[in-house]
Amino acid sequence: MTASALQHYLQFSDLTADDYAYLFARAAFIKRKFKTYEKHQPLQDRTLALIFEKASTRTRVSFEAGMYQMGGLVVNLTSQGSQLGRAEPIEDSARVISRMVDLVMIRTFEQHRIKRFAEHSRVPVINGLTNEFHPCQILADIFTFIEHRGSITGKTVAWVGDGNNMANTWLQAAELLGFTVHLSTPSGYGVDHAVAGLRSSASYRVFTSPADACRGAHLVTTDVWTSMGYEAENEARKTAFADWCVSEAMMALAQPDALFMHCLPAHRGEEVQAEVIDGPQSVVWDEAENRMHVQKALMEFLLLGRIA
Ligand code: CP
Ligand code: NVA
């Protein structure tokens, strides 16, 4: 396969709305098989390399368990335990690792790092979170929304909190799949339109007040005040984000059947009240589980294309 024929998944906009329709249907099929203990092993003898330059629980378990369930193998690397942490160029690492495996997932810092890896890789590369994007999480979140409420097209998603990797990815998804994001971030922590890679501002509205952002929303979602890599800003962020805590009062302004999502890990009492994340509108555990099902569909798609 030539480098130009490779399909990577570095940001949400790398796939089309049609690809997503396929992936959501395929993930539902794969999930049904998992739930009925039916084997689904199209990736026998394929190897996935997982490269973590930041911590992870869900991404690690979902990719590793998912690949084994599909009959494949997994190699785990971290910066500290590999030459990546001793300044081996990312381009050289890509050339070497991609000669030995069929697929690579990377969790790293700047998007340009994963982009450089992909440019020198012989195999598809998946973004398992960068400072700018978290496409696998939004894939799982939208799949979870569809499971509970049907199509997300035409709906409203309220984002309460940091203009971070999750916010950027929600905005890309809204542009591609035809829904609206109500965005409320503290001053100075907004989304950078250029970094988010948006075509226009037509699919989102900015609100100063988080409560106003939640009004009428079909889904309310948030994330930690301080993302990985930004720990030095923790104290300043605690002050700036104090009012960006998803509360029962905010949920009451959303649609009566609105869902609550959080990519996890969560900090109860900071970005969300315990009563909300542990309450009846929260679907965070389905959301976490669905990481595995959608990523199985994604890995199959990147390696084998559309099936049936
Ligand atoms: N949501 C998510 O990506 O979780 P981890 O950081 O545990 O992988
Ligand atoms: N925005 C968070 C997401 C963690 C899954 C972070 O980047 O740390």
Side-chain angles (χ1 to χ4, degrees):
M1 193 180 267
T2 62
S4 60
L6 282 180
Q7 173 71 69
H8 299 297
Y9 193 55
L10 307 186
Q11 50 186 309
F12 202 86
S13 59
D14 283 348
L15 299 182
T16 65
D18 196 53
D19 291 331
Y20 283 110
Y22 168 79
L23 282 176
F24 294 136
R26 190 71 184 165
F29 168 80
I30 289 172
K31 181 172 181 176
R32 274 197 300 278
K33 285 191 144 191
F34 174 79
K35 294 291 180 187
T36 52
Y37 296 96
E38 214 184 309
K39 276 191 179 161
H40 180 67
Q41 303 200 318
L43 300 186
Q44 280 179 30
D45 299 325
R46 305 289 181 118
T47 305
L48 165 69
L50 298 176
I51 304 173
F52 285 100
E53 301 206 281
K54 290 176 178 172
S56 168
T57 296
R58 279 145 288 270
T59 303
R60 166 88 194 260
V61 177
S62 56
F63 270 106
E64 186 158 349
M67 190 60 176
Y68 285 131
Q69 287 163 21
M70 289 200 295
L73 305 157
V74 180
V75 175
N76 268 293
L77 288 167
T78 61
S79 330
Q80 302 92 316
S82 72
Q83 301 292 0
L84 278 164
R86 298 179 65 251
E88 180 166 17
I90 194 93
E91 293 82 356
D92 293 357
S93 304
R95 289 182 180 107
V96 171
I97 294 166
S98 71
R99 281 184 178 227
M100 303 180 195
V101 303
D102 301 281
L103 188 61
V104 178
M105 186 243 59
I106 309 179
R107 167 167 287 194
T108 188
F109 292 88
E110 298 81 12
Q111 184 74 9
H112 72 72
R113 213 166 147 70
I114 194 170
K115 191 163 174 283
R116 280 161 52 207
F117 190 104
E119 281 164 4
H120 295 85
S121 172
R122 289 184 169 192
V123 302
V125 176
I126 299 173
N127 183 345
L129 182 146
T130 55
N131 291 352
E132 290 86 351
F133 299 114
H134 198 2
C136 292
Q137 183 68 54
I138 302 303
L139 189 61
D141 292 4
I142 295 175
F143 178 72
T144 307
F145 186 90
I146 294 168
E147 274 190 323
H148 285 267
R149 296 285 182 265
S151 172
I152 198 165
T153 300
K155 300 290 198 306
T156 298
V157 175
W159 176 264
V160 174
D162 194 14
N164 63 10
N165 43 12
M166 285 290 296
N168 289 340
T169 313
W170 269 116
L171 292 173
Q172 281 200 353
E175 202 157 68
L176 203 60
L177 302 182
F179 59 93
T180 302
V181 176
H182 284 185
L183 194 64
S184 180
T185 62
S187 171
Y189 296 96
V191 163
D192 182 324
H193 200 273
V195 171
L198 304 175
R199 287 194 301 266
S200 79
S201 47
S203 53
Y204 69 94
R205 287 180 61 196
V206 176
F207 293 82
T208 310
S209 145
D212 287 344
C214 293
R215 208 178 299 279
H218 300 88
L219 166 64
V220 176
T221 184
T222 186
D223 189 9
V224 289
W225 288 344
T226 305
S227 285
M228 292 180 280
Y230 297 83
E231 289 79 2
E233 300 173 15
N234 204 17
E235 287 312 308
R237 283 172 173 265
K238 277 188 176 165
T239 308
F241 282 76
D243 292 336
W244 276 262
C245 171
V246 178
S247 61
E248 287 184 298
M250 288 183 198
M251 290 303 295
L253 294 170
Q255 296 285 335
D257 68 343
L259 299 174
F260 172 77
M261 289 191 196
H262 189 311
C263 63
L264 305 176
H267 299 83
R268 290 168 176 78
E270 292 193 4
E271 73 272 9
V272 59
Q273 282 183 343
E275 291 76 8
V276 173
I277 192 168
D278 298 319
Q281 288 167 279
S282 172
V283 290
V284 297
W285 313 122
D286 288 347
E287 189 188 352
E289 177 191 325
N290 283 336
R291 285 289 302 277
M292 185 175 80
H293 306 304
V294 297
Q295 288 162 193
K296 285 166 79 174
L298 176 68
M299 291 191 284
E300 185 191 71
F301 176 72
L302 295 179
L303 288 176
L304 306 179
R306 293 190 192 197
I307 295 166

